[in-house]
Amino acid sequence: MKMSTGEVVVYKYKGMYKVEDVGTLGFSFADRKKQYYTLQSIDNSTDRAYVPTEDKVNLRKPVSKDEVLDLIHEMNDIEVLWVENERTREREYMACIANNSLKGWMKILKTLTMRAESRGKISSMDKKYQQLTEHALYSELSYVLDIPVNMVKKFLREEKDKEGV
């Protein structure tokens, strides 16, 4: 997947970035034989990333609005991660996050919501993954749906209510 200057991408779970440049880097840590994408965060002007162009795991194009709506309508079919062991559950969360997909992120948030409802509270580990996942998911949905990030949760709720989900 080749990205071009000016293109917007999803960079891992960190959010939305714009490709500023493609080429070699003049940093001592950079392999001068490799090509890198220079990425600028859309949300944070001080956040920049340098990613090798051959990286097929951590970069992807944003999903389409239709894909977002389809996924919202499939929300009831998304399985939760019912893992009792904290460490095993954390590994599952990390795997879903690393997968760099909306469905994996939604799976985590659905799990966290159900855990909080059943337990009446949220653990510090769950809170950490909730914040991480909400940032990843909501920043992409905000960009794709062209709505402010603080309106994404309301949008999701309204879409689910339309379907009776």
Side-chain angles (χ1 to χ4, degrees):
M1 166 184 68
K2 192 80 169 145
M3 302 290 179
S4 304
T5 303
E7 204 167 338
V8 174
V9 297
V10 179
Y11 175 48
K12 301 196 278 190
Y13 55 86
K14 295 183 179 277
M16 305 303 295
Y17 286 72
K18 187 178 238 178
V19 178
E20 276 195 336
D21 194 21
V22 181
T24 57
L25 299 177
F27 301 125
S28 60
F29 68 83
D31 182 341
R32 300 206 196 289
K33 294 177 188 130
K34 279 188 177 181
Q35 296 281 306
Y36 290 84
Y37 294 116
T38 300
L39 305 177
Q40 174 63 55
S41 171
I42 289 178
D43 300 327
N44 181 350
S45 62
T46 63
D47 186 10
R48 186 170 279 180
Y50 306 94
V51 181
T53 56
E54 72 267 4
D55 187 334
K56 306 288 186 246
V57 177
N58 294 311
L59 284 180
R60 66 173 170 80
K61 295 183 181 204
V63 297
S64 69
K65 184 174 182 175
D66 287 340
E67 289 172 298
V68 169
L69 296 175
D70 288 346
L71 195 55
I72 291 168
H73 299 153
E74 295 169 13
M75 189 63 116
N76 280 344
D77 298 330
I78 294 175
E79 294 179 25
V80 294
L81 302 166
W82 285 120
V83 180
E84 290 300 319
N85 181 289
E86 283 282 309
R87 286 185 182 190
T88 305
R89 186 171 52 259
E90 185 170 24
R91 280 195 299 271
E92 291 289 326
Y93 289 164
M94 290 183 342
C96 281
I97 289 169
N99 193 14
N100 198 13
S101 76
L102 290 181
K103 194 169 191 171
W105 298 341
M106 287 180 138
K107 180 186 273 193
I108 292 170
L109 290 176
K110 185 174 179 181
T111 299
L112 294 171
T113 300
M114 295 180 101
R115 277 180 52 79
E117 287 171 359
S118 71
R119 299 174 75 212
K121 62 181 180 174
I122 187 166
S123 72
S124 60
M125 182 189 75
D126 285 354
K127 184 71 174 167
K128 170 182 143 185
Y129 285 99
Q130 178 185 20
Q131 290 171 339
L132 193 70
T133 309
E134 281 181 347
H135 170 73
L137 179 67
Y138 294 179
S139 65
E140 184 169 0
L141 294 184
S142 169
Y143 176 79
V144 171
L145 300 169
D146 196 26
I147 61 175
V149 75
N150 65 345
M151 297 299 293
V152 170
K153 205 172 210 175
K154 180 180 182 221
F155 176 86
L156 291 173
R157 221 179 358 262
E158 288 172 354
E159 282 299 310
K160 283 172 54 178
D161 289 346
K162 281 183 196 174
E163 293 284 314
V165 177

